[in-house]
Amino acid sequence: MEKKPRITVIGAGFAGLAAAALLAKDGCEVTVIEKNEMAGGRARTWERDGFIFDMGPSWYWMPDVFENYYQLFNKTTSDFYELKRLSPSYRIYFGKNDTLDVPATLDDLYQLFEQLEPGSSKNLEAFLDQAKYKYDVGMNEYVFKPSHSVMEYFDPRLAISGIKLQLLGNMRKHVHQLFKNERLRKLLEFPVLFLGATPQNTPALYSLMNYADLVLGTWYPLGGMHKIVSAMQKIAEEQGVKFVFDTEVTKIAVKNNIAEEVVTNKGSFKSDFVVGNADYHHIDQHLFEKPYCNYSEKYWDERTMAPSCLLFYIGLNKKLDNILHHNLFFDEDFDLHAEEIYTQPQWPTKPLFYACCPSVTDPGVAPEGCENIFFLVPLAPDLKDSESKREEYFNLLVERFKNLTGNDIKNNILFKRSYAMNDFMADYHAFKGNAYGLANTLKQTAFLKPKMKSKVTNFLYTGQLTVPGPGVPPAIISGQVVAKEIKKKLKKA
């Protein structure tokens, strides 16, 4: 029998899981080495006293990406979990007794825009038509490119598309030209926060996120976001992928420009091909010897990173009033907080924040009569992290939460767990403690991102620091792109 190519995948995040399953399906012998105790990367779970917390991603957007991935294995989403569309999608708090619930239907959305800015529904219709075009072209033409070279984009169809995609405009200008109401502007600028840059520095191309948000909708897999991880791990195992947990890669041994072995704290793995789904910077600067690094430390220091964040996972012994599953608190100055992330990095003076309460939708993630909630504050990466600073912000958030929602939770907290820069670095080797990878600025889009290709012949990078970018759907696509590239290389060998 012909010997199967041995593939080692470093890291069991979404991109690593996707690549591993597809490579095993194509006949490779695949081993995934994961530093932590479970698959999922940042999408791990934490359980305590009957509470189940998703530690990372909590928004389920672009359901088509998940469905398309499952169909590669003749599966469908409902084979793994029940998907529920949230209605309203989420709530934005602009102040006390000043909220905006984002509807799940387009008719209701047009009505909302008309109420806040008469005549604006026509502009919204045009805006969403453009956003749909960007989404369709982006998802079909752009995101599945490996972006090894700018030459991949020298295609007349893509050149024409590029003009329509507004690659050179920015989201702030695009939104402000069409809408005057500040609440509507904030609603439309909000999704770019997932991309890790200010609206002024995010290409107008990314209004495709508004299409994902407002048209495709906000969903939730009953049981929690980790249901996606379980589904992808199950698919991988059905293809024959082996998982090795609680094992940290310490070195990639290279000889004659070939990665021969992946060395861990528990032994070595001989490999014909290696996929790097751990933090790109960590692999590049710490697992490879200097001659094989793609980039210099100076290069990395000059990258614009997406934010880190401060998280609090909280178990409450009571139910909350007047709260949705997703709640955004925009009662403070959006631009000031953004400046304190990107321009003058510091702990925010008056932070915006997000509260996720999945037990509103899914009682199974908390004991009866209790509530599962977490707070998230976006922060500049590489800040000095301390318990005293975390506690200061926790008290601030609890007070703001009480004033804005009427829910006083101070005396109902069964437990809380904080998580911030130091934890991202310790658990994921996250560069500068970032949570979301690289900011999607124009200079860090497509072929201008860190390359999938390595100087080492049989090594490719995947995940949020390379193409197509941060977020769960892009990570799944990144794994698919890498698997396809390796398949082509193995055919040539």
Side-chain angles (χ1 to χ4, degrees):
M1 289 179 65
E2 190 177 335
K3 186 184 172 188
K4 289 183 174 183
R6 293 167 301 180
I7 313 284
T8 303
V9 179
I10 304 170
F14 287 110
L17 290 170
L22 287 165
L23 289 166
K25 181 173 180 273
D26 284 335
C28 298
E29 182 184 304
V30 184
T31 302
V32 178
I33 303 171
E34 170 55 47
K35 173 182 180 289
N36 293 304
E37 74 285 1
M38 65 178 75
R42 284 162 167 76
R44 291 186 299 157
T45 58
W46 178 57
E47 297 186 31
R48 177 168 169 178
D49 302 336
F51 292 83
I52 304 170
F53 295 90
D54 286 311
M55 293 186 69
S58 58
W59 295 76
Y60 195 111
W61 279 359
M62 305 184 186
D64 52 313
V65 174
F66 300 91
E67 178 63 21
N68 291 342
Y69 176 75
Y70 297 142
Q71 286 187 7
L72 296 174
F73 302 91
N74 297 315
K75 304 283 189 183
T76 187
T77 304
S78 60
D79 291 334
F80 302 107
Y81 46 82
E82 181 184 344
L83 204 53
K84 181 175 181 178
R85 184 164 184 172
L86 302 183
S87 181
S89 298
Y90 49 93
R91 174 174 292 164
I92 302 175
Y93 287 82
F94 293 107
K96 191 171 184 179
N97 302 318
D98 184 4
T99 62
L100 188 155
D101 286 0
V102 178
T105 70
L106 276 177
D107 284 346
D108 289 341
L109 190 68
Y110 290 136
Q111 284 183 29
L112 173 68
F113 271 64
E114 281 296 319
Q115 287 169 12
L116 292 174
E117 185 180 324
S120 65
S121 63
K122 289 293 182 189
N123 283 349
L124 176 63
E125 188 175 358
F127 177 84
L128 290 177
D129 282 347
Q130 282 186 322
K132 181 183 188 305
Y133 175 82
K134 294 172 189 177
Y135 187 87
D136 291 342
V137 172
M139 298 307 289
N140 291 312
E141 301 275 8
Y142 279 85
V143 297
F144 284 92
K145 289 187 174 297
S147 294
H148 298 319
S149 162
V150 67
M151 297 307 294
E152 294 171 33
Y153 295 84
F154 277 91
D155 177 325
R157 291 176 306 112
L158 292 184
I160 293 165
S161 298
I163 296 166
K164 289 187 180 179
L165 292 174
Q166 299 174 299
L167 281 167
L168 299 179
N170 68 64
M171 275 296 292
R172 170 61 55 88
K173 186 176 180 182
H174 183 41
V175 168
H176 281 222
Q177 281 176 338
L178 292 170
F179 305 98
K180 305 303 176 194
N181 183 277
E182 279 303 315
R183 283 164 174 71
L184 297 182
R185 287 174 168 180
K186 285 182 179 179
L187 164 62
L188 294 174
E189 289 181 349
F190 144 67
V192 305
L193 294 177
F194 288 97
L195 303 170
T198 63
Q200 299 95 311
N201 290 322
T202 301
L205 159 70
Y206 289 108
S207 67
L208 64 87
M209 294 292 288
N210 297 108
Y211 178 76
D213 169 13
L214 301 174
V215 179
L216 299 182
T218 300
W219 301 76
Y220 174 77
L222 290 176
M225 293 290 285
H226 66 281
K227 288 288 185 181
I228 310 162
V229 177
S230 299
M232 293 182 70
Q233 184 176 346
K234 184 178 180 184
I235 287 171
E237 288 172 339
E238 285 174 351
Q239 304 306 312
V241 175
K242 295 174 185 173
F243 286 86
V244 181
F245 295 110
D246 288 312
T247 302
E248 182 164 5
V249 175
T250 56
K251 181 182 177 182
I252 299 167
V254 180
K255 186 177 179 181
N256 298 325
N257 220 42
I258 300 290
E260 293 191 331
E261 278 189 316
V262 175
V263 182
T264 78
N265 58 347
K266 295 180 181 177
S268 298
F269 295 79
K270 290 192 178 296
S271 309
D272 297 309
F273 216 103
V274 182
V275 177
N277 181 221
D279 182 89
Y280 194 134
H281 168 269
H282 176 70
I283 296 173
D284 187 48
Q285 297 295 306
H286 299 288
L287 299 187
F288 279 124
E289 292 178 350
K290 286 299 175 192
Y292 306 111
C293 298
N294 268 8
Y295 302 102
S296 66
E297 194 64 64
K298 182 176 183 286
Y299 167 89
W300 285 108
D301 278 334
E302 290 174 348
R303 294 311 91 195
T304 302
M305 302 306 298
S308 186
C309 57
L310 170 60
L311 291 145
F312 294 100
Y313 308 101
I314 306 161
L316 298 175
N317 66 3
K318 71 171 184 178
K319 302 300 286 183
L320 297 174
D321 299 319
N322 194 36
I323 281 293
L324 297 185
H325 187 125
H326 296 298
N327 309 272
L328 301 165
F329 293 84
F330 285 3
D331 54 308
E332 297 290 0
D333 186 344
F334 183 105
D335 289 334
L336 173 63
H337 191 164
E339 183 181 332
E340 292 173 339
I341 292 174
Y342 298 104
T343 311
Q344 298 179 0
Q346 60 186 284
W347 283 84
T349 312
K350 295 180 177 180
L352 280 64
F353 71 102
Y354 160 59
C356 181
C357 192
S359 46
V360 167
T361 303
D362 186 0
V365 299
E368 189 174 350
C370 296
E371 212 81 273
N372 166 329
I373 189 168
F374 74 78
F375 293 143
L376 182 154
V377 180
L379 299 173
D382 212 22
L383 297 178
K384 186 177 179 182
D385 185 5
S386 68
E387 286 303 321
S388 60
K389 186 61 76 172
R390 295 184 188 196
E391 199 61 23
E392 175 190 334
Y393 276 79
F394 180 72
N395 292 328
L396 181 153
L397 295 179
V398 167
E399 193 62 28
R400 288 254 303 278
F401 188 72
K402 180 179 80 171
N403 292 338
L404 292 166
T405 72
N407 288 289
D408 187 351
I409 64 171
K410 196 178 300 180
N411 297 319
N412 299 97
I413 298 172
L414 296 172
F415 60 83
K416 76 172 190 287
R417 176 183 178 182
S418 66
Y419 201 95
M421 281 78 68
N422 290 350
D423 302 294
F424 282 105
M425 287 188 278
D427 288 351
Y428 312 118
H429 294 298
F431 181 49
K432 296 184 177 180
N434 83 84
Y436 301 106
L438 284 178
N440 271 348
T441 61
L442 181 59
K443 292 180 180 178
Q444 295 180 166
T445 292
F447 55 88
L448 297 175
K449 290 184 184 292
K451 301 293 185 192
M452 281 188 160
K453 271 186 176 177
S454 166
K455 289 181 180 178
V456 175
T457 308
N458 63 332
F459 188 100
L460 284 175
Y461 290 94
T462 191
Q464 66 173 5
L465 284 173
T466 185
V467 292
V472 180
I476 293 172
I477 291 168
S478 184
Q480 292 175 242
V481 173
V482 156
K484 188 175 180 181
E485 289 300 292
I486 293 173
K487 189 177 178 182
K488 285 194 288 190
K489 282 178 175 284
L490 291 173
K491 276 185 177 178
K492 289 178 184 177

